[in-house]
Amino acid sequence: MTAMADENPEDGGVRVVDYLAAELTRVGVTHMFGVGGANIEDLYDAVHRTGTIRGVVAKHEFSAVTMADGYARATRRLGVVAATSGGGAMNLVPGLAEAYASRVPVLALVGQPPTGQEGRGAFQESSGKAGSFDAREVFTPVSQFCARVDDADSLAELLPRAVAAAQADPKGPAVLLLPKDVQQAQVELPDHGVTPMSLVQTTAGATAGPGAEARDAVSAALRGASRVLIIAGDEVAAADARGELAELARRLGAWVAVTPDAKDVFNNRSPRFAGVAGVMGHANVEDCLRRADLCLLVGTRLPALASGGLDQPLAATTVVCINPEPPFVAGIALGGNLREALRAVVGELPSCSRPCAEHDGPVPTPVPKPLHTPVPQSGGGTVSYAEAVAAVEAALPQDAHVFVDAGNAGATAIHLLPAPRHGRFVVAVGMGGMGYTFGAGIGAALATVQRTYVLAGDGAFFMHGMEVHTAVEYAAPVTFVIFNNNAHAMCAIRDELIQGGVRSDDLFARTDIAAGVAAAFPALDATWAGDAAQLRQALLRSNASGGPAFIALDCHAREIPPFLPFLPFTESTESTTRPESEESSDERGPVHVG
């Protein structure tokens, strides 16, 4: 059957959902992620009929949003998520909040009870009538656009507005609430010359060029600076402006640091690379900032995670920001489309490369150095974070995507793992929600068919790790690497170092995650890695496969990660780990299951 199966031959009409699916196809959507239900089933039917959009069923709506989010970050296209009413709709909120905070273009299509039941105690009602809560009031704070489609004809207006809002600057989620009877209603097809959604393709994101006055002020500040430190953010990737950033750095002779969520926007092995800024970053960035007479923010507002430890030198340095939104620190700001703004600024600089210190002679670019040098105590089957990340680095394909979750493992990966040269390195620092990576990695892998690494701790796994099932069902090329320290370890370390005592509720009994996953999914390549060599071997094996793989390794709960709030405590100790008073030994050898 085709998407036009329910077309009315007399009036040229189709179901609203068929029209919606066809318009999504028109703007290049290839996947729709979600969880089904009675009040969204018609849309899933329509998507299935298109034959061009792949409907992916997740295990949980939060993960469905992160799949759409990962799809959008990996492709720079609109991510689409669909969910039914009630609890399904409410489960979307944290995922949409992350997309909103990180400015990721996602369209959420949310089923609602039929309009005739509104105000009559309908099951899962959220119309705002007769004492029910209003879904629009829930979704509006976490979206750039939110509207209820009250009748079939209004979709032709609301859909392009939603798509345009999601893809404009600033980008972010858009939400359409779709009552079931409206989904099923007939809508007249528009003329096939120019459709509302084709207009979206040509106008979405179109913004006026950089203002001449602001551009002149930025250019003058850059030309007058001898030493420049650039701190680049994730908007560089979203705007596909890596080339413009590299050329700007070359012409300025600048050092380039990156925010924690933007390791992939600049070559991490370039002699100009200064490291990661902020609380999970490198002390070298502060050194460069103190020596610079201008700090140029590109594609970032410099939020707290990126500015941590830099407040004093930032206050003493001229700050210039090129970004669609103004920075969180005081400085000269140039808004508008980032790529266009960078091209305009680069065009006003001399074309020759400039040394880092124009007046005082060249200053060698220092190699990024850590906040501290960890000397972890491993053994008993545990692998240090540094050893594990080194194994990942050795096996990581340079066209792979990397999705890093929250916690100790995430802080270490942000600090130590160089970004692949031709793939994304994604960290969800907008909300920092644990478990984001499982869905996001799957979305990116399905969209690009590129090997995708998910690096997460056991806490994140127990929140949303059963999305492994989705990866297995859809044969997604995802390698899940679980750093299992049997704890909410960053919380436990905070308890001990900052709160003054260890609470046992953040420390767990040991679990064998690899064995459990292997038992649940017999066809999945599931491995427990007892040391870094076994981890590297398992990673290389996953690279050669076409589908998902799962690897778990044991880490020490008290190994302190490279995290700025912990620095005063690590400086006063000889080691970053402390043996537990009672720890069971693990005599297992290498285990490969599946």
Side-chain angles (χ1 to χ4, degrees):
M1 299 180 72
T2 68
M4 299 296 104
D6 291 302
E7 183 174 339
N8 186 325
E10 295 183 0
D11 60 13
V14 297
R15 293 184 305 170
V16 163
V17 288
D18 292 317
Y19 168 76
L20 174 54
E23 292 301 295
L24 292 177
T25 298
R26 195 185 304 276
V27 294
V29 174
T30 59
H31 293 71
M32 183 181 80
F33 306 95
V35 180
N39 285 329
I40 202 66
E41 62 190 2
D42 299 284
L43 178 58
Y44 273 94
D45 175 67
V47 163
H48 175 72
R49 292 166 184 256
T50 66
T52 56
I53 299 178
R54 189 179 191 186
V56 177
V57 176
K59 309 288 91 62
H60 191 278
E61 290 82 4
F62 168 82
S63 292
V65 178
T66 66
M67 289 178 192
D69 177 303
Y71 170 102
R73 296 198 205 209
T75 65
R76 293 186 295 108
R77 298 199 299 265
L78 179 70
V80 178
V81 61
T84 192
S85 52
M90 295 303 98
N91 285 340
L92 296 173
V93 172
L96 292 176
E98 167 58 37
Y100 180 84
S102 294
R103 304 301 192 246
V104 181
V106 171
L107 174 63
L109 303 170
V110 186
Q112 298 288 280
T115 55
Q117 297 181 15
E118 291 177 356
R120 300 171 56 192
F123 178 60
Q124 297 184 334
E125 182 174 356
S126 55
S127 67
K129 299 178 181 178
S132 66
F133 72 90
D134 192 334
R136 285 171 294 193
E137 295 184 359
V138 173
F139 289 114
T140 294
V142 293
S143 64
Q144 302 290 358
F145 178 87
C146 179
R148 185 183 296 273
V149 183
D150 291 319
D151 55 72
D153 292 335
S154 65
L155 183 66
E157 173 201 354
L158 293 174
L159 179 59
R161 286 179 60 192
V163 173
Q167 297 179 319
D169 288 324
K171 302 175 183 66
V175 179
L176 289 178
L177 304 171
L178 301 167
K180 183 175 178 67
D181 57 322
V182 174
Q183 295 178 52
Q184 296 173 330
Q186 296 282 307
V187 63
E188 186 174 345
L189 287 173
D191 293 336
H192 288 285
V194 179
T195 69
M197 289 294 277
S198 66
L199 286 175
V200 168
Q201 286 183 284
T202 59
T203 61
T207 59
E213 184 176 347
R215 185 185 63 221
D216 291 346
V218 168
S219 298
L222 294 178
R223 286 195 300 268
S226 298
R227 297 175 182 168
V228 177
L229 170 66
I230 295 174
I231 302 180
D234 187 58
E235 181 63 25
V236 174
D240 193 22
R242 292 181 178 86
E244 287 77 9
L245 172 65
E247 178 62 15
L248 179 62
R250 185 188 72 81
R251 294 197 184 194
L252 290 173
W255 300 310
V256 181
V258 295
T259 58
D261 58 341
K263 288 198 74 171
D264 59 340
V265 304
F266 193 80
N267 183 358
N268 292 184
R269 292 182 170 86
S270 167
R272 296 192 186 279
F273 184 59
V276 180
V279 297
M280 293 169 280
H282 301 95
N284 179 68
V285 176
E286 181 181 356
D287 294 341
C288 291
L289 182 56
R290 291 187 183 278
R291 284 193 273 175
D293 51 15
L294 186 144
C295 179
L296 174 59
L297 309 180
V298 178
T300 179
R301 305 177 72 186
L302 207 64
L305 284 180
S307 64
L310 302 178
D311 292 340
Q312 186 178 8
L314 277 171
T317 307
T318 299
V319 176
V320 173
C321 179
I322 305 176
N323 190 61
E325 297 181 89
F328 293 118
V329 295
I332 303 169
L334 176 60
N337 179 275
L338 179 63
R339 194 175 186 184
E340 292 177 4
L342 286 175
R343 288 178 174 178
V345 170
V346 167
E348 297 191 9
L349 295 173
S351 60
C352 59
S353 179
R354 194 172 79 183
C356 286
E358 191 174 80
H359 304 300
D360 302 326
V363 176
T365 302
V367 176
K369 59 186 178 182
L371 296 171
H372 63 280
T373 303
V375 187
Q377 296 177 354
S378 57
T382 64
V383 183
S384 76
Y385 295 128
E387 291 170 338
V389 169
V392 172
E393 180 183 357
L396 183 68
Q398 288 304 297
D399 63 348
H401 303 304
V402 178
F403 283 77
V404 177
D405 219 298
N408 287 4
T412 306
I414 291 168
H415 192 81
L416 295 178
L417 181 63
R421 289 291 295 120
H422 308 292
R424 291 300 326 265
F425 188 106
V426 176
V427 183
V429 297
M431 289 287 107
M434 292 173 63
Y436 161 88
T437 56
F438 293 93
I442 293 169
L446 291 177
T448 64
V449 200
Q450 291 175 230
R451 175 59 52 180
T452 300
Y453 279 32
V454 167
L455 308 181
D458 54 310
F461 171 79
F462 285 122
M463 287 189 179
H464 293 286
M466 280 298 101
E467 290 300 335
V468 169
H469 178 269
T470 307
V472 172
E473 287 292 301
Y474 292 90
V478 183
T479 300
F480 300 96
V481 183
I482 309 304
F483 297 73
N484 182 16
N485 49 34
N486 299 293
H488 285 159
M490 185 167 279
C491 295
I493 292 170
R494 290 184 64 88
D495 292 343
E496 180 174 1
L497 299 184
I498 298 175
Q499 299 299 324
V502 177
R503 296 200 308 268
S504 61
D505 49 354
D506 282 323
L507 302 173
F508 312 140
R510 187 185 181 281
T511 54
D512 191 340
I513 295 175
V517 168
F521 309 109
L524 177 64
D525 180 2
T527 305
W528 177 76
D531 56 36
Q534 293 171 22
L535 172 60
R536 181 174 178 272
Q537 291 169 3
L539 292 170
L540 292 173
R541 188 171 63 250
S542 78
N543 294 344
S545 71
F550 187 95
I551 307 163
L553 59 145
D554 289 345
C555 300
H556 204 296
R558 292 189 178 171
E559 179 181 345
I560 301 178
F563 189 56
L564 186 62
F566 299 155
L567 180 58
F569 303 97
T570 61
E571 288 179 333
S572 63
T573 61
E574 294 183 354
S575 171
T576 59
T577 58
R578 303 176 186 179
E580 295 182 18
S581 57
E582 295 183 8
E583 182 176 10
S584 60
S585 62
D586 193 332
E587 302 297 333
R588 294 184 300 174
V591 175
H592 168 232
V593 190

